Amino acid sequence: MKKFMLLLSVLFLVGCSESKNKYEEEVFRLFENEQDLVDYSIDPRSFSECVVEVSGKNMPGLFKFDPQRTDYYELYSDLVRFKTLTSNYSSTFNKELHTMEELTPKDLWFKLKREFGQKGLSDAHRNFSESVLVCMESFVSRRDGPAFDLLGV
């Protein structure tokens, strides 16, 4: 029984870790060419890690690797992908950005509304936006002012 519980725990951790990595990669793709990060000489990879950590603290779930968080990391990945698609999407079909298997921004929006629910989607959007602001403030204050960390990390 102990071996089964250990195996189950390992599987949850791996699954959550993969979802978290996917979310972090989507955040990185969103911010890799962000002008504000370039202006303040902020590494997009570090910034993405910060956003994922801060937003993860405010996701539903009792602890960091709660199995429920796996689903939320997946949904947050879709939310960030939606932001990326809509910032790059034009009225003409772009073969580099979209394949037939991928969802259009409109389809992805309806999927997010269905999965999150209207209130959950606005809460997720707010959590993500606040996380971006907290991380930006933290990185800028480290660069410009005294070395105190807003994240407590």
Side-chain angles (χ1 to χ4, degrees):
M1 184 66 174
K2 287 183 182 180
K3 288 181 182 181
F4 176 73
M5 292 302 290
L6 181 63
L7 179 63
L8 192 60
S9 299
V10 168
L11 290 176
F12 281 139
L13 289 174
V14 169
C16 191
S17 177
E18 287 176 9
S19 298
K20 185 178 178 181
N21 290 341
K22 179 183 172 191
Y23 173 43
E24 189 174 311
E25 193 58 38
E26 291 291 340
V27 173
F28 174 74
R29 285 182 35 202
L30 180 65
F31 289 111
E32 68 183 329
N33 296 315
E34 177 65 37
Q35 189 60 45
D36 288 337
L37 298 182
V38 172
D39 291 345
Y40 285 103
S41 301
I42 298 171
D43 175 43
R45 182 66 63 190
S46 299
F47 186 78
S48 300
E49 290 170 5
C50 177
V51 170
V52 169
E53 287 300 316
V54 173
S55 63
K57 290 178 183 176
N58 295 320
M59 285 182 189
L62 299 175
F63 50 92
K64 191 172 188 170
F65 291 105
D66 187 332
Q68 183 182 12
R69 289 224 176 142
T70 301
D71 297 334
Y72 279 96
Y73 280 127
E74 292 288 331
L75 289 171
Y76 271 69
S77 296
D78 289 343
L79 176 66
V80 174
R81 190 162 30 108
F82 173 76
K83 290 174 177 292
T84 304
L85 282 175
T86 55
S87 66
N88 295 326
Y89 195 76
S90 66
S91 58
T92 59
F93 190 78
N94 185 337
K95 290 182 182 176
E96 291 177 20
L97 291 175
H98 308 288
T99 63
M100 295 308 269
E101 300 87 45
E102 290 184 13
L103 298 172
T104 65
K106 184 178 179 181
D107 294 336
L108 190 53
W109 175 252
F110 286 122
K111 178 188 177 210
L112 288 169
K113 281 179 68 174
R114 183 180 64 246
E115 297 293 324
F116 271 117
Q118 186 62 43
K119 182 176 180 347
L121 181 56
S122 61
D123 289 345
H125 179 71
R126 186 191 76 253
N127 181 25
F128 180 77
S129 299
E130 287 175 356
S131 299
V132 169
L133 292 174
V134 165
C135 290
M136 183 61 82
E137 184 178 2
S138 176
F139 277 90
V140 170
S141 67
R142 280 188 217 162
R143 180 182 169 274
D144 292 337
F148 83 95
D149 189 2
L150 296 173
L151 299 176
V153 179

